[in-house]
Amino acid sequence: MTRPTGQMLIAGADVFGTGEKIRAVDPSTGAELEPAFGHGGADEVDRACTAARAAFADYRALPDAKRAEFLERIADRIESLGDALIERAHRETGLPVARLTGERARTTGQLRLFAEVVRAGSWSRARIDPAQPDRKPLPRSDIRRRQIPLGPVAVFGASNFPLAFSVAGGDTAAALAAGCPVVVKAHDAHPGTSELVARAVTGAVADLGLPPGTFSLLFGSGPELGIRLVTDPRIQAVGFTGSRSGGLAIAAAAQARPQPIPVYAEMSSTNPVFLLPGALAERAAEIADGFVTSLALGAGQFCTNPGLVIAVDGPDLRTFLESAVAAVADNRPSTMLTPAIARAYADGVARLSAHAAVEVLARGAESDLPNTCRAALLATDADSFASDTELQQEVFGACSLVVRCRDADQVRAVAEGLEGQLTATVHAAEADHAEAAELLPVLELTAGRILFNGWPTGVEVGHAMVHGGPFPATSDSRTTSVGTLAIERFLRPVAYQDVPASLLPGAIADGSCPGAVPIPDPARRNA
Amino acid sequence: MTRPTGQMLIAGADVFGTGEKIRAVDPSTGAELEPAFGHGGADEVDRACTAARAAFADYRALPDAKRAEFLERIADRIESLGDALIERAHRETGLPVARLTGERARTTGQLRLFAEVVRAGSWSRARIDPAQPDRKPLPRSDIRRRQIPLGPVAVFGASNFPLAFSVAGGDTAAALAAGCPVVVKAHDAHPGTSELVARAVTGAVADLGLPPGTFSLLFGSGPELGIRLVTDPRIQAVGFTGSRSGGLAIAAAAQARPQPIPVYAEMSSTNPVFLLPGALAERAAEIADGFVTSLALGAGQFCTNPGLVIAVDGPDLRTFLESAVAAVADNRPSTMLTPAIARAYADGVARLSAHAAVEVLARGAESDLPNTCRAALLATDADSFASDTELQQEVFGACSLVVRCRDADQVRAVAEGLEGQLTATVHAAEADHAEAAELLPVLELTAGRILFNGWPTGVEVGHAMVHGGPFPATSDSRTTSVGTLAIERFLRPVAYQDVPASLLPGAIADGSCPGAVPIPDPARRNA
């Protein structure tokens, strides 16, 4: 089936929601798309969570190789959807076909990379402290440790990545890799794309004969269905990518449960870019080109969009700004994801532009098309920036604020005053390294990823990636939502003391533990 | 100085608190001890946190070898306090000298084990994804990842381990090992012990010429000074061991901050012990001896005290109970840590004993001495246990409730209904392995540590230990408070993309990264 039907997929069954009916909107025309999707309610949340809990024991007990095969099968089935998926996603999001094709490759690559991680077995972080029966004054027991999955996970699809951060995106891949059943709440902005991908996942569940409750897809509003899902006692962790208000509401609901659970919410980031003097002197115009390309990419609808530029004022910064202003003014407007996002962008730019301490340097071209993003380049001074937190708020879209500083000390002071960020970027020439060395420790405390002489948009899916950062960039800075370490979000450690060999899980059994690290005896005393 | 003076130690300075004056009480006599200790207030919290924040940059930048030396110096200085420390701790807690001597060895061993971990460097969990300049369609950047410390940490001393879970206990050792300055709130039950140990830490700070704010000790009440400390914006994580109400109050305060922070609270656990039929048939009396020894150890004042026994009713269980009843009745009462704890224990046992569904099987001998613990062995049936959550509440002290079950299915049903636990213990003979194999997956979801044919008291400090578990055993099941993995509580990941070689931190520099794991290229695409 390569056309959406409007139905949720709950533990393998098609369910048409009896709540509010919604339709996707083609943001490039404002036209509503067929079919209608019915929102689910309490019954559907209960059904999905009951099935997920029932599936958990068998799903987590699967051999690593089978779980890996399942992830690969999901990837295969997403690819089998072919152009129908890309076309539907294009109509629902306004994102270009080339971008969506790349995003699909990232999504399937991500699933296959997690399959490799699962197959390698090291995800269980096995450790063995062997018994020491003759230790004095007390013998030591045999103690082994592995990680096990937390339980059913709720994943909230994001508006801006209809594939890579949505139904079978990073959180779903990481949770399924960890051994956790997943219940996805689809984003209302791309329900058809969500249904198609959910059919691919459900198909893979069936292909491998897994328990149907391993995966469900629900439609519904965040405040109603979403909070109900987060507070369902079967759900044991939550992955969310979206607004700060949405993330905070989910975190508060999770914390207020009789049993609080971890929430991994990626919320807001302005991704500061520091332009150091040597770099500006060497290549101001070139940096400006790269900056505007990154700023305007995908109408600026990236979590890592460069929304802040910080530099010492002077002739080289003015050269940078001249080029940037020209590039922004030339920027062709592009369609935003939804009418609401386009409105919020326009309101955010208007609010900043009206600020007494803000100067509008450039706007992108106007457009008669609906829901477009006119890029915006604004400027302020560091004193004003420091004195009004409103200037630090993210405006989601292709808007960036240049903060002019008196000197290097003020650049560092601005860095020290920033809220938590997903990324911090430094443009530095050889001559700037002393200054960069002073800035680096400040940025480490502020951001999850630090880049030199590049642009923060484009998040590599690898083993070393950190897509996360201190609050409010995320609700939990100790993890990443992109890359293989994301599997650890959905795991917890268990120790096994003197468990008979025949009962030990494979990951920590004698001689059969690919990931086990037998650590030399530290001969510690047990008091 | 081997006698306490009553002063706090804030960033190396002696400060006598101007708030409420408190004195330690010798629980074995009820007598107040010299000197008086003055509680600190808002000014002292501010002073300690300002100094901790100021110390953070230099402290975290120390070479691993120097931080390791610091931890070892703390251990040396604690040992140099000699008998004076043990004597003071004995008078303040009523704990036997032999136990405190063992606890001191555990505490110094723990510090030295963390020194080994720091020196080995693998704590930074370095990962390198090398650049692929020729990758199609897009080149890959050089991306490296390490872990860095969160920032200043608040540690709350526990009443029941005046050394191992207190001023220089597990949380402090892990936080200092991670590179985080520490501000300790001492437990009012052993202020003199706390001051002495704090002087050892402060001496080590001075010996190594570290920033004085690396360590501070405060006295004060939990609701006032404690919450002020948790909500200070400089504090970035909290370690707590104590009551459920205390832990929940701290977690709520941390979550309500403008910037929420992680709280690692170890709160409450009844540590179920499952006696399977084959084990009971083989060695009921022997198991009973081990059980009562574990139950009564240290007046039952362990987080891992076996407070629940679950078994199928029948002749072998009756044999077990006969032996256990005799051993409990013979048990000599021992002094509890504080008058308040002794009262709470007596109240808790009285409450359970008065419950309509509870039978009192045995009480320990009475005593004319103040603040003693009369061991208690109670029993109920599985249906009553399942229908009243009050029967699941921890009674801190040597009290255990036997839950009689009809059959193996009911044993498993009881296991499935349990709240989160630090430990779960199974006594199983060879003939029980099929039943144990069914129980094990249930217990994995309930507890942080699973033991076979042993007793949960006695927590080994090693690489594989997990002292933690699902809520309400702790507020965060993803970590441990004992063992080397505790260092991860106070770390978060940072990725470095294309950072020039001369600016890269040592842990992820080319060729000089003992802990780095260069992972083969997965050739993933970046969309």
Side-chain angles (χ1 to χ4, degrees):
Chain A
M1 197 165 339
T2 50
R3 270 170 203 279
T5 65
Q7 293 173 97
M8 297 181 278
L9 282 149
I10 304 182
D14 285 17
V15 178
F16 195 87
T18 54
E20 191 190 352
K21 303 283 173 295
I22 59 137
R23 279 168 198 273
V25 171
D26 181 337
S28 71
T29 62
E32 290 195 332
L33 301 174
E34 290 296 333
F37 292 78
H39 274 186
D43 288 351
E44 286 77 20
V45 169
D46 181 66
R47 188 168 162 188
C49 293
T50 301
R53 184 66 182 78
F56 180 41
D58 286 350
Y59 182 63
R60 81 179 179 99
L62 289 180
D64 285 345
K66 181 125 186 202
R67 204 144 77 216
E69 197 189 337
F70 171 48
L71 294 168
E72 289 163 343
R73 185 65 61 94
I74 296 171
D76 294 345
R77 277 190 163 264
I78 289 172
E79 285 167 354
S80 298
L81 292 168
D83 292 344
L85 176 65
I86 300 294
E87 282 160 18
R88 179 76 196 187
H90 172 62
R91 293 186 69 195
E92 289 188 332
T93 64
L95 293 171
V97 166
R99 143 73 194 268
L100 289 166
T101 305
E103 188 181 330
R104 179 178 58 190
R106 171 178 169 170
T107 305
T108 54
Q110 189 161 260
L111 286 158
R112 292 186 176 118
L113 183 59
F114 274 111
E116 287 175 31
V117 168
V118 171
R119 222 173 243 123
S122 52
W123 63 273
S124 65
R125 297 189 74 194
R127 285 187 170 196
I128 299 177
D129 284 334
Q132 296 176 334
D134 301 327
R135 190 181 63 172
K136 303 294 174 198
L138 289 171
R140 183 169 83 175
S141 293
D142 176 290
I143 303 174
R144 299 165 190 236
R145 176 243 197 215
R146 67 162 179 163
Q147 299 201 115
I148 68 166
L150 289 174
V153 170
V155 172
F156 287 72
S159 63
N160 62 339
F161 278 88
L163 302 171
F165 284 82
S166 197
V167 176
D171 277 328
T172 297
L176 290 176
C180 299
V182 170
V183 180
V184 174
K185 188 196 101 52
H187 198 288
D188 271 354
H190 51 263
T193 308
S194 298
E195 186 194 325
L196 292 179
V197 174
R199 288 197 183 279
V201 182
T202 299
V205 168
D207 288 348
L208 276 86
L210 306 184
T214 301
F215 177 82
S216 291
L217 173 75
L218 301 175
F219 297 119
S221 82
E224 287 159 40
L225 183 131
I227 296 298
R228 201 177 283 277
L229 182 59
V230 168
T231 54
D232 185 285
R234 276 78 55 103
I235 295 296
Q236 293 298 304
V238 180
F240 169 89
T241 306
S243 69
R244 185 163 174 172
S245 59
L248 292 178
I250 286 171
Q255 197 63 26
R257 290 166 47 122
Q259 176 224 10
I261 56 172
V263 170
Y264 304 104
E266 186 196 314
M267 298 183 290
S268 101
S269 183
T270 51
N271 304 296
V273 176
F274 295 84
L275 305 179
L276 301 193
L280 279 179
E282 275 183 12
R283 48 186 182 89
E286 181 195 326
I287 294 173
D289 280 353
F291 163 64
V292 177
T293 301
S294 176
L295 175 69
L297 190 70
Q301 300 168 118
F302 289 96
C303 326
T304 55
N305 190 56
L308 266 186
V309 176
I310 298 145
V312 175
D313 205 1
D316 294 327
L317 180 62
R318 285 195 286 277
T319 305
F320 165 83
L321 289 176
E322 276 166 30
S323 295
V325 162
V328 166
D330 275 356
N331 185 251
R332 228 176 107 242
S334 46
T335 306
M336 298 196 85
L337 292 157
T338 69
I341 286 174
R343 270 195 306 277
Y345 174 75
D347 291 350
V349 173
R351 177 176 53 75
L352 280 182
S353 303
H355 193 286
V358 170
E359 177 189 355
V360 179
L361 300 180
R363 293 300 307 267
E366 291 201 59
S367 169
D368 291 336
L369 295 174
N371 307 315
T372 49
C373 172
R374 276 182 77 192
L377 186 63
L378 315 174
T380 191
D381 63 282
D383 292 325
S384 301
F385 184 76
S387 63
D388 188 348
T389 55
E390 195 188 319
L391 297 178
Q392 280 211 40
Q393 303 301 306
E394 180 185 13
V395 175
F396 188 70
C399 171
S400 195
L401 178 67
V402 178
V403 181
R404 296 185 176 104
C405 300
R406 270 189 308 275
D407 52 25
D409 286 347
Q410 199 173 33
V411 168
R412 265 202 312 284
V414 168
E416 279 165 5
L418 290 172
E419 290 190 310
Q421 304 286 344
L422 293 171
T423 69
T425 300
V426 180
H427 280 267
E430 196 78 30
D432 298 315
H433 281 194
E435 177 56 27
E438 291 203 58
L439 202 52
L440 196 55
V442 177
L443 301 183
E444 284 178 330
L445 301 186
T446 302
R449 177 165 57 113
I450 297 167
L451 308 83
F452 270 64
N453 301 323
W455 301 101
T457 45
V459 181
E460 187 72 41
V461 180
H463 298 294
M465 177 50 65
V466 179
H467 188 62
F471 187 92
T474 76
S475 60
D476 190 336
S477 72
R478 293 164 294 173
T479 68
T480 174
S481 72
V482 176
T484 56
L485 280 162
I487 196 172
E488 298 192 357
R489 297 180 152 203
F490 304 114
L491 297 169
R492 49 169 276 262
V494 176
Y496 301 76
Q497 182 169 329
D498 292 333
V499 172
S502 65
L503 295 173
L504 274 175
I508 48 175
D510 285 329
S512 64
C513 27
V517 185
I519 291 175
D521 159 39
R524 289 304 132 195
R525 188 173 296 188
N526 171 20
Chain B
M1 195 164 341
T2 50
R3 268 170 205 278
T5 66
Q7 293 174 97
M8 296 180 280
L9 281 148
I10 304 183
D14 285 15
V15 178
F16 195 87
T18 55
E20 189 190 353
K21 304 283 174 294
I22 59 137
R23 280 168 198 273
V25 171
D26 181 339
S28 70
T29 62
E32 290 195 333
L33 302 174
E34 291 296 332
F37 293 78
H39 273 185
D43 288 351
E44 287 76 20
V45 169
D46 181 66
R47 187 168 162 188
C49 293
T50 301
R53 185 65 182 80
F56 180 42
D58 286 350
Y59 182 63
R60 80 179 179 100
L62 289 181
D64 285 346
K66 182 124 186 203
R67 204 144 79 216
E69 197 188 337
F70 172 48
L71 294 168
E72 290 164 341
R73 185 64 61 93
I74 296 172
D76 295 345
R77 278 191 163 264
I78 288 172
E79 285 166 354
S80 297
L81 293 167
D83 292 344
L85 176 64
I86 301 294
E87 282 161 17
R88 179 75 195 187
H90 173 62
R91 292 186 70 196
E92 289 188 332
T93 64
L95 293 170
V97 165
R99 141 75 193 267
L100 290 165
T101 305
E103 188 181 330
R104 178 177 60 188
R106 171 179 170 168
T107 305
T108 55
Q110 189 161 260
L111 286 157
R112 292 185 177 119
L113 183 59
F114 275 111
E116 286 175 32
V117 168
V118 171
R119 222 173 244 123
S122 53
W123 63 272
S124 64
R125 296 190 74 195
R127 284 186 171 197
I128 298 177
D129 284 333
Q132 296 176 336
D134 301 326
R135 190 181 64 173
K136 304 292 173 202
L138 289 170
R140 184 170 82 174
S141 294
D142 176 292
I143 303 175
R144 299 166 189 237
R145 176 241 198 216
R146 67 162 178 162
Q147 299 201 115
I148 69 166
L150 290 174
V153 170
V155 173
F156 287 73
S159 63
N160 62 338
F161 278 88
L163 301 171
F165 284 83
S166 196
V167 176
D171 278 327
T172 297
L176 291 176
C180 299
V182 170
V183 181
V184 174
K185 187 195 102 50
H187 199 288
D188 270 356
H190 50 262
T193 307
S194 298
E195 185 195 324
L196 292 178
V197 174
R199 289 197 182 279
V201 182
T202 299
V205 169
D207 289 348
L208 275 87
L210 306 184
T214 300
F215 177 82
S216 290
L217 174 75
L218 301 175
F219 297 119
S221 82
E224 290 159 37
L225 184 131
I227 295 298
R228 200 177 283 279
L229 182 59
V230 168
T231 55
D232 185 284
R234 276 77 56 103
I235 295 296
Q236 294 298 303
V238 180
F240 169 88
T241 306
S243 69
R244 186 164 173 171
S245 59
L248 292 178
I250 285 171
Q255 196 63 23
R257 291 166 45 121
Q259 175 223 12
I261 56 173
V263 170
Y264 304 103
E266 185 196 314
M267 298 183 290
S268 103
S269 183
T270 50
N271 304 297
V273 177
F274 295 84
L275 306 179
L276 301 193
L280 279 179
E282 274 183 14
R283 49 187 182 89
E286 183 194 325
I287 293 173
D289 281 354
F291 164 64
V292 177
T293 301
S294 176
L295 175 69
L297 190 71
Q301 299 167 116
F302 289 95
C303 327
T304 54
N305 190 57
L308 267 186
V309 175
I310 298 146
V312 176
D313 204 2
D316 294 327
L317 180 62
R318 286 194 286 278
T319 306
F320 165 83
L321 290 175
E322 275 167 30
S323 294
V325 161
V328 166
D330 275 358
N331 186 251
R332 230 176 104 240
S334 46
T335 306
M336 297 196 85
L337 293 157
T338 70
I341 286 173
R343 270 194 307 276
Y345 173 75
D347 291 349
V349 173
R351 178 176 51 75
L352 280 181
S353 302
H355 194 286
V358 171
E359 177 189 354
V360 178
L361 299 180
R363 293 299 308 265
E366 293 201 56
S367 168
D368 292 336
L369 295 174
N371 307 316
T372 49
C373 171
R374 275 185 78 194
L377 186 63
L378 315 174
T380 191
D381 62 284
D383 293 324
S384 302
F385 184 75
S387 63
D388 189 348
T389 55
E390 194 188 320
L391 297 178
Q392 280 211 40
Q393 304 300 307
E394 182 186 12
V395 175
F396 188 71
C399 171
S400 195
L401 178 66
V402 178
V403 181
R404 296 186 177 105
C405 300
R406 269 190 308 276
D407 52 25
D409 286 346
Q410 199 171 33
V411 167
R412 266 203 311 283
V414 169
E416 279 165 6
L418 290 172
E419 291 191 309
Q421 303 286 344
L422 293 171
T423 69
T425 300
V426 180
H427 281 266
E430 195 77 29
D432 297 315
H433 281 195
E435 178 57 28
E438 290 204 56
L439 203 52
L440 196 56
V442 177
L443 301 183
E444 285 179 330
L445 301 185
T446 303
R449 179 165 55 112
I450 297 167
L451 309 82
F452 269 65
N453 300 324
W455 300 101
T457 45
V459 182
E460 188 73 37
V461 181
H463 299 295
M465 177 49 66
V466 178
H467 188 62
F471 186 92
T474 76
S475 60
D476 190 334
S477 72
R478 293 164 295 173
T479 68
T480 174
S481 72
V482 175
T484 56
L485 280 162
I487 195 172
E488 297 191 359
R489 297 180 152 203
F490 304 113
L491 297 169
R492 49 169 274 262
V494 176
Y496 300 77
Q497 183 169 328
D498 292 333
V499 172
S502 65
L503 295 172
L504 274 174
I508 48 176
D510 284 328
S512 66
C513 26
V517 185
I519 289 175
D521 158 38
R524 288 305 132 195
R525 187 173 297 187
N526 171 21

